[in-house]
Amino acid sequence: MSVVPPVAGRAPQLHVVQLLGGGSAGTGAHVRSLAAGLDARGVRVTVCASQYAERRYDFGGTGARFIPLPVRAQADAVRTLRAICCDADLVHAHGMRAGLVAALALRRRSVPLVVTWHARPADRGVRERLRRLTERWVARAASVVLGATSDLVARARRRGARDARLAPVALPAQRAARSQENEPHKVRAELGVVDRPLLVAEQGHDMLLAAARGWRWLDPQPLLVMAGEGPQRPVWQRRIEREGLPVRLLDRAQDVRRLLPVADVALAAPRWEARPELAQEALRGGVPLVATAVGGVPELVGDAAVLIPYGEVAALTAAVRTLLADPDQRAALTLAGRARARSWPTEDTTVAQVLSVYDELSGTR
């Protein structure tokens, strides 16, 4: 990310507390990006998160002060944050758990609270009702709710947010490994896909495995490589072996994304997602993308990907077959994807948008 000189005239120095209560890898990367960008603009930043998040994202390496936050005991987290916020001008919480902790810590205090809603929950039953109550509490406690997608903004407004705004989250572009940039044929040979298509995927395993049954009879037969981390891996592996599916599981999602430079088609089939990292990297790299039309995906990709309904296995199977048989369509999607990616907000514009909200709120204290 480019370094922007501190803005003249901002005195005294603004102190912002960034609170991360868990969340996805994309949320952690976003907080790190904000911390670095705000520090470059002369803002004093304190990041409160778990020790695990600090090891993974190195918030302290951005110039921010890092303070560990208890992740399991909510009361301890509230007390810790309350002490940290004694001299804070503003608190920015990321995710619902962080928003609740911040709302409790700032009760009867005049410190503005910004909460970014990154994801939509998939809770059901009692957990869904509790989640709805939490959302209502957090939405009403926040000075401003920033939604990563339009439907999250609408959800915050339904929960009573006094001010909810769209604020897409820009993630850092991932750089391909040198071996994949310079020796793509070697990478494909190691995977056994020199003369067959390579499909890469990260989410929606049940739907993807069901679709893979329809790709077994293609000639040449494509290989689907997808992330296999988590407790469901043994279940997926048994299904692959039992049904003879042309699928290989890798240990981590990052390993799958590193294969994008040598992939023929990328697949993103989440039930709901704001801005899937795989989809972003696919379009940036010019890899044709098939994705489920859920959450913020249509806003993200526009006409630069093939969109299908979630759960429609036949539509996924047909979309991949069509793309593999039509090099002209793949070439068109390559060009459209790169053009679409250039239209997305950058890390710099994301930081600038967030800072404008901070200035607006801190100026009204």
Side-chain angles (χ1 to χ4, degrees):
M1 181 174 63
S2 60
V3 176
V4 177
V7 177
R10 182 174 288 112
Q13 188 182 38
L14 189 70
H15 178 206
V16 174
V17 175
Q18 299 284 332
L19 177 61
L20 177 64
S24 66
T27 304
H30 175 57
V31 172
R32 190 187 197 285
S33 174
L34 281 182
L38 292 170
D39 178 76
R41 287 163 170 80
V43 177
R44 183 158 64 96
V45 180
T46 298
V47 176
C48 299
S50 68
Q51 289 283 12
Y52 168 79
E54 167 63 9
R55 289 192 298 271
R56 182 168 185 179
Y57 299 106
D58 185 26
F59 300 118
T62 67
R65 178 179 64 155
F66 171 74
I67 296 180
L69 194 74
V71 294
R72 297 189 180 277
Q74 182 170 285
D76 291 343
V78 170
R79 282 192 293 270
T80 300
L81 184 62
R82 185 175 292 135
I84 294 168
C85 291
C86 289
D87 67 338
D89 296 296
L90 183 143
V91 175
H92 188 166
H94 298 265
M96 203 55 57
R97 180 181 183 276
L100 179 59
V101 169
L104 292 171
L106 297 177
R107 289 183 70 184
R108 295 185 292 276
R109 295 194 181 190
S110 60
V111 179
L113 172 62
V114 177
V115 183
T116 295
W117 289 21
H118 290 268
R120 189 188 72 177
D123 299 326
R124 295 290 184 269
V126 174
R127 289 175 61 89
E128 181 183 14
R129 291 193 289 274
L130 291 174
R131 177 76 179 205
R132 191 180 298 116
L133 291 173
T134 301
E135 288 180 348
R136 186 175 295 116
W137 172 273
V138 171
R140 295 178 178 181
S143 306
V144 174
V145 174
L146 300 178
T149 66
S150 295
D151 63 335
L152 288 175
V153 173
R155 187 183 184 95
R157 288 171 178 161
R158 289 196 302 272
R159 298 293 187 256
R162 62 188 117 163
D163 188 341
R165 312 178 190 182
L166 179 65
V169 173
L171 298 180
Q174 300 297 318
R175 179 169 174 78
R178 185 173 298 276
S179 61
Q180 288 151 332
E181 288 182 325
N182 299 334
E183 301 178 18
H185 297 294
K186 180 179 178 182
V187 175
R188 290 183 65 97
E190 291 172 352
L191 290 169
V193 290
V194 172
D195 298 316
R196 57 191 292 206
L198 173 62
L199 315 175
V200 296
E202 193 175 293
Q203 295 172 289
H205 289 66
D206 290 338
M207 185 176 176
L208 289 164
L209 291 177
R213 297 181 64 183
W215 303 326
R216 290 178 299 181
W217 319 118
L218 296 181
D219 185 19
Q221 184 188 73
L223 174 66
L224 170 62
V225 177
M226 59 185 185
E229 55 193 343
Q232 286 293 104
R233 181 183 181 116
V235 176
W236 297 328
Q237 188 61 52
R238 285 194 296 270
R239 180 174 178 182
I240 291 167
E241 295 170 359
R242 182 176 64 250
E243 299 181 19
L245 302 178
V247 178
R248 182 178 302 176
L249 299 178
L250 299 186
D251 291 334
R252 303 176 303 168
Q254 297 94 314
D255 297 331
V256 172
R257 289 196 288 272
R258 291 191 188 105
L259 293 176
L260 274 170
V262 298
D264 295 287
V265 177
L267 309 175
R271 181 185 295 273
W272 190 96
E273 188 73 39
R275 296 169 68 88
E277 290 185 65
L278 183 74
Q280 292 186 60
E281 292 305 321
L283 266 62
R284 281 173 174 159
V287 181
L289 173 70
V290 178
T292 46
V294 297
V297 175
E299 287 180 334
L300 176 71
V301 304
D303 296 327
V306 178
L307 293 176
I308 59 171
Y310 176 78
E312 294 290 338
V313 174
L316 175 57
T317 303
V320 171
R321 285 184 181 219
T322 300
L323 274 181
L324 292 181
D326 190 344
D328 290 339
Q329 185 181 5
R330 296 201 304 274
L333 287 176
T334 291
L335 295 175
R338 287 178 170 146
R340 183 71 179 183
R342 288 193 294 271
S343 74
W344 294 337
T346 64
E347 289 183 84
D348 280 340
T349 57
T350 298
V351 173
Q353 179 186 18
V354 170
L355 185 55
S356 70
V357 175
Y358 295 173
D359 283 342
E360 176 185 333
L361 293 175
S362 62
T364 61
R365 293 188 65 192

